[in-house]
Amino acid sequence: MNTQDFIKLEEQYGAHNYHPLDVVIERAEGVWVYDVDGKQYMDCLSAYSAVNQGHVHPKILNALMEQARKVTLTSRAFRNDQLPLLYKELSELTGYEMSLPMNSGAEAVETALKLARKWAYRVKGVPRHQAEMIVCAGNFHGRTISIISFSTEPLYRDDFGPFTPGFVVVPYADADAIEKAITPNTAAVMLEPIQGEGGVIVPPEGYLRKVAEICKRNNVLFIADEIQTGLGRTGKLFASQHEGVRPDIVIIGKALSGGFYPVSAILADKPILGLFTPGEHGSTFGGNPLGAAVARAALAVLREEKLAERAAELGTYFVEQLAEISSPHVKEVRGKGLLIGVELKPEAGGARRFCEALQKQGILAKETHDNVIRFAPPLVIKKEEIDWAVARIREVLNMP
Ligand SMILES: *Cc1c(COP(=O)(O)O)cnc(C)c1O
């Protein structure tokens, strides 16, 4: 079977809820992936930052295989010998007292929202079922009905109402708008420190600090969705740390497993995360020993290979190189660490055709928000590999 055979099968039998590039990947290693025709590509998406540690990292692979031979799923009806160690290691790494594991990012977001509502009723004293959450325009927090209820992207929500109430949307990167939207019933403000799916939108310096201060002064929880920006991607463990901010609740996912397995979690201190009581929340697979073992190895790789530091250093280099490209199509190059967006001018004809041209050159990147090409390679990328990519990106950005 060749590329076209696989594509035909997928189109015939699968729901068409994605518009992938026409490359059929068969195996991968580090920053490189290989398609069924044997062609090699550099992965500049990293599965939306889930493979920060690089594809099929041997240490995580080993942890997966060892654990898979022992026990994979106990459910939380019983305890297992991996989850307690993951809790402890997460706490030591992040400085939060507790965590709660789930599987997908969206589930962790839902968990954070439930927790903030409970906190509002039990601690803040908001009248029951009146809690409000403030979120930002252009957000991406996942695909469940509650989460798309406060999306501002018509494609994500228009055919899927009725919507979950209790959310107030304000413009992103505008701290005053948050302050104005706060009422006595506000439980939390939830935002992404950098909007990834929204087009790699980096808020002005000081925004996160101001939001944290506003939340504190108004007795409102600050929830940072670091599912894409967290775990080293932007050059620090969490993107909030660029402004010295410590949110009340941090949501992580994606790279928490290095791409091997869906593992997500929320992090918070005891006065908040200690509020859940048995039976109020759960997941059959959440905190399973296989996922926990994989996450422990993924975090160890992050630490041992100093991936956040690498992202800071190589991200700066990558942005410098991209900024030096003179192209008639580029409006702006921006980002933090190795989360980089190249915004094209409106007349460039959309980012998709550039991503397709990059594919022909051996680089897999994905457009986000029509006009932005995102470059987010695995954090294990080497300087020479960036040089290799930049030469090809330069060529593509100079096509007619
Ligand atoms: C990917 C992502 C999610 C959703 O994660 P899933 O695992 O796809 O459910 C939520 N928030 C942000 C910021 C993300 O990038």
Side-chain angles (χ1 to χ4, degrees), residues 48 104-107 109 140-142 192 197 225 227-228 254:
Y48 304 94
S104 70
E107 283 176 302
V109 171
F140 183 83
H141 297 288
E192 301 149 85
E197 297 316 294
D225 180 347
I227 291 171
Q228 185 160 159
K254 295 203 165 112

Side-chain angles (χ1 to χ4, degrees), residues 140-210:
F140 183 83
H141 297 288
R143 302 293 200 161
T144 65
I145 285 182
S146 286
I147 293 171
I148 58 102
S149 291
F150 54 85
S151 172
T152 55
E153 169 59 53
L155 185 64
Y156 297 169
R157 59 174 266 144
D158 274 4
D159 281 336
F160 307 107
F163 302 114
T164 305
F167 298 95
V168 179
V169 182
V170 300
Y172 188 61
D174 180 349
D176 294 336
I178 288 177
E179 178 125 53
K180 282 201 198 93
I182 290 176
T183 74
N185 290 346
T186 304
V189 171
M190 178 171 74
L191 53 78
E192 301 149 85
I194 294 172
Q195 288 187 333
E197 297 316 294
V200 191
I201 310 294
V202 184
E205 162 80 32
Y207 172 63
L208 299 175
R209 217 163 25 239
K210 220 160 148 193

Side-chain angles (χ1 to χ4, degrees), residues 328-331 343-351 353-354 371 399-400:
H329 305 301
V330 174
K331 186 177 160 202
E343 182 170 348
L344 304 174
K345 293 177 184 163
E347 61 272 22
R353 69 183 188 102
F354 291 90
N371 295 339
M399 68 186 197

